[in-house]
Amino acid sequence: HFVCSIAETVSAMAHARGITQVISPEKVESNQHVIDFCRTSMAIISGCACGILGFNGLMGLLIHFVCSIAVSLAIMASKTKKGTDVLMSKTSFVLGGLMGGFGTYILFWTMVYDIVHIYG
């Protein structure tokens, strides 16, 4: 009896149908975790920076949106440099990350602002 792995079976089926690239759900999930980690880290760092620098109001929100878009574009540039494609459209990838770390940004922004400028 010949036993083959699931990956070999899926690869053979995709090749038979003319599909040249097989997408692994585990790899996609792992990549999404890395992207979420990058965006969360950016939200923490930019929230702390805005709190320390004393930004408030709409200027603080603008900083979050600029940093979020910059991180999304950096991730996309990294993907195209490696020759891999982003699985969703570029617009939805960039705009989808805007609200991802928003709560984290607000938390660190207000906490650091209060520590430095109100209680400090």
Side-chain angles (χ1 to χ4, degrees):
H1 294 273
F2 180 74
V3 179
C4 63
S5 69
I6 294 174
E8 290 171 344
T9 306
V10 170
S11 179
M13 290 171 50
H15 184 66
R17 292 182 180 171
I19 301 171
T20 58
Q21 182 180 13
V22 178
I23 298 171
S24 168
E26 294 84 15
K27 300 268 184 187
V28 171
E29 185 178 353
S30 173
N31 290 343
Q32 190 60 43
H33 286 301
V34 170
I35 291 170
D36 290 342
F37 177 77
C38 290
R39 287 181 173 158
T40 302
S41 299
M42 178 279 313
I44 292 170
I45 292 168
S46 61
C48 289
C50 284
I52 290 170
L53 295 174
F55 291 123
N56 53 17
L58 293 177
M59 185 57 138
L61 292 177
L62 179 68
I63 296 291
H64 168 68
F65 291 130
V66 167
C67 288
S68 181
I69 289 172
V71 166
S72 294
L73 292 175
I75 292 170
M76 283 178 39
S78 170
K79 290 287 187 190
T80 50
K81 183 178 178 183
K82 292 179 182 176
T84 56
D85 292 336
V86 177
L87 295 176
M88 57 179 77
S89 72
K90 290 179 170 59
T91 340
S92 66
F93 180 76
V94 172
L95 297 178
L98 286 178
M99 299 308 286
F102 188 67
T104 305
Y105 173 81
I106 295 293
L107 172 72
F108 280 89
W109 178 29
T110 56
M111 181 181 70
V112 172
Y113 183 87
D114 289 347
I115 290 171
V116 172
H117 298 282
I118 295 177
Y119 302 116

